[in-house]
Amino acid sequence: MSSELLTGDPGRETARRARRNQLARTAQWFAGLEADPYALVLRTGTGAPEAAEEAVRALGPLHRSALPDTWVTAQRAVAEEVVGHPAFDAPGPAATPGGGRPPPFRSAVLALDRATAAALAPLTAFGGPLLWAADADSLEKRTATWARTLLAGLGERFDLAEDFARRLTGPVLAEQLGLPEAAHERFCRLLPDCRHVLDSLLCPQTHACARAAQAAETAMAGLLAEALHRPTAETVRASLVTALSAAEPTAVLICNAVRLLLDRPGGWQRLAEDPDRAAGEAVAHTLRTAPPVRLESRAVRSAVTLAGTPLPVGARVTLLVAAVNREPPAEPDARPFGLCADLHFGLSAHLVEALARAALRTLARILPDLRADGDPVTRLRSPVLRAPERRPVAGNPVF
């Protein structure tokens, strides 16, 4: 964590917010003790959350989790209605009576509504005014170049999460946003402090992580305002939303895809034999079975009835993305549900998938005998991403 982000007098307000942070997490913990399945999802540590997710599904199309004051669904039809209905907007809760208080230090950058996201999305489209790459193929070629450079310095044993996946996203995003080389180092140094922002939308982080993330958002906004070519309020915000919503999900998607391939007999070998074809298949399979974003939350902005239940303004609804994807889709080839395009992922989902495909292809070509090399560790307080803390791997590089 960057020491530059943890300085300053905490003050009375910071102490008050720290207490709120602790109390919010305590409420989730006690709700879990009462066997509330959604609370068990939120408080899952290094264990698997699938049993709690399925317990939510068993309670019907829409379940009210009382202490977290949230409606929860694991059903595809309900989830698709939420992301498509105009009554649901922003990643909740609403700043209205009945909406409850958001977790302290919740990301301000990712709290954009649908109208704002729709206005900003064209800025980060391939061929748009912000991105260097004209299309996904161009981005994947540049990502492969960065990936090869990284792998050349790692040797036979390394941490897939920290040494490769997270170190890959920083320089690629900095280059794609057109930042001058002089700004790359600081961009890549600030980005890791933002890794908790998606989890913090639903799960209070430790006080140190929360303060670091809050300060990193501010510092990153300042850096982009200085370094972007002809910056405007819109391009700075679009760049910031894209960086924060793409970086950590990309790293998680890469790690999850590698894990699934290594767990499946012959999985990694098939990728190594045909990286161009198999990388896309591996990313699509991972988005369905081990998505990098497992929870999506929305606030009710106008009274609506969902799954036969009237919801007032300010109510919150959480979608269990991973559980939704375990439900048989209406169409056998239906796209995996997740990385929902109505909010921040509308600016970044195309980048997340392209970066992951390029990373997998490069790993397979350079490390055809890649294997796990120790016990993986999942990050605590990460119910949204189930982010890897460490993923030790080994292999004999072939350049």
Side-chain angles (χ1 to χ4, degrees):
M1 207 167 287
S2 302
S3 59
E4 66 175 308
L5 302 179
L6 298 178
T7 59
D9 180 11
R12 181 177 297 179
E13 176 63 15
T14 298
R16 183 184 70 82
R17 296 177 74 183
R19 286 194 296 272
R20 275 189 55 214
N21 194 57
Q22 185 176 21
L23 289 172
R25 183 59 176 168
T26 300
Q28 293 178 354
W29 192 264
F30 276 109
L33 292 177
E34 295 296 320
D36 182 316
Y38 175 58
L40 291 173
V41 170
L42 291 178
R43 62 174 253 186
T44 298
T46 58
E50 283 81 4
E53 292 168 348
E54 290 305 316
V56 171
R57 190 197 308 280
L59 293 172
L62 195 62
H63 162 67
R64 183 174 181 271
S65 181
L67 195 53
D69 191 20
T70 302
W71 294 89
V72 193
T73 185
Q75 292 196 5
R76 177 177 290 267
V78 179
E80 290 178 342
E81 183 176 355
V82 169
V83 298
H85 197 292
F88 300 93
D89 198 6
T96 57
R101 287 185 171 184
F105 301 107
R106 183 168 171 266
S107 172
V109 173
L110 298 184
L112 73 171
D113 57 25
R114 286 175 174 172
T116 303
L120 296 178
L123 298 176
T124 62
F126 289 128
L130 274 176
L131 292 191
W132 173 86
D135 50 38
D137 186 59
S138 298
L139 173 59
E140 291 180 37
K141 288 178 180 177
R142 287 301 300 157
T143 302
T145 299
W146 283 106
R148 287 180 63 88
T149 301
L150 266 178
L151 290 170
L154 291 181
E156 296 182 5
R157 287 180 169 79
F158 60 94
D159 189 304
L160 181 69
E162 285 297 306
D163 297 333
F164 178 75
R166 291 190 176 104
R167 287 179 61 195
L168 176 64
T169 57
V172 172
L173 290 172
E175 181 181 71
Q176 288 301 311
L177 294 172
L179 301 185
E181 289 189 14
H184 282 208
E185 180 183 353
R186 188 152 193 256
F187 179 88
C188 295
R189 182 158 42 89
L190 288 170
L191 200 56
D193 277 322
C194 301
R195 70 177 64 183
H196 303 274
V197 294
L198 282 161
D199 281 307
S200 73
L201 294 176
L202 292 174
C203 177
Q205 302 298 296
T206 64
H207 183 56
C209 289
R211 287 193 66 196
Q214 184 181 42
E217 286 189 4
T218 302
M220 186 74 81
L223 173 64
L224 292 170
E226 296 171 2
L228 284 176
H229 180 63
R230 296 180 182 176
T232 66
E234 289 74 21
T235 58
V236 170
R237 187 170 192 188
S239 299
L240 191 54
V241 170
T242 299
L244 267 59
S245 61
E248 190 66 1
T250 298
V252 175
L253 179 55
I254 293 168
C255 291
N256 286 357
V258 170
R259 173 177 58 82
L260 290 178
L261 287 165
L262 293 179
D263 286 348
R264 190 185 315 145
W268 188 259
Q269 287 71 27
R270 284 190 290 274
L271 177 65
E273 290 167 2
D274 190 1
D276 289 329
R277 179 185 61 82
E281 294 177 358
V283 168
H285 178 71
T286 305
L287 287 170
R288 184 180 300 281
T289 59
V293 177
R294 301 180 69 93
L295 305 176
E296 286 273 7
S297 180
R298 298 292 184 271
V300 177
R301 298 307 194 206
S302 58
V304 66
T305 297
L306 180 67
T309 302
L311 301 181
V313 172
R316 288 172 283 176
V317 178
T318 295
L319 317 176
L320 303 186
V321 172
V324 166
N325 277 331
R326 289 196 296 271
E327 180 181 305
E331 301 292 336
D333 58 349
R335 180 177 174 81
F337 182 84
L339 298 181
C340 302
D342 60 326
L343 294 179
H344 37 269
F345 291 123
L347 283 71
S348 62
H350 57 308
L351 304 180
V352 172
E353 295 183 34
L355 266 66
R357 288 193 297 268
L360 289 176
R361 278 199 300 268
T362 308
L363 281 166
R365 286 174 176 147
I366 294 177
L367 294 164
D369 64 342
L370 187 72
R371 61 191 182 277
D373 190 43
D375 294 331
V377 178
T378 300
R379 189 165 71 212
L380 296 176
R381 302 200 189 199
S382 184
V384 175
L385 301 177
R386 297 289 297 154
E389 188 71 39
R390 58 189 298 270
R391 288 291 187 273
V393 294
N396 298 304
V398 178
F399 288 94

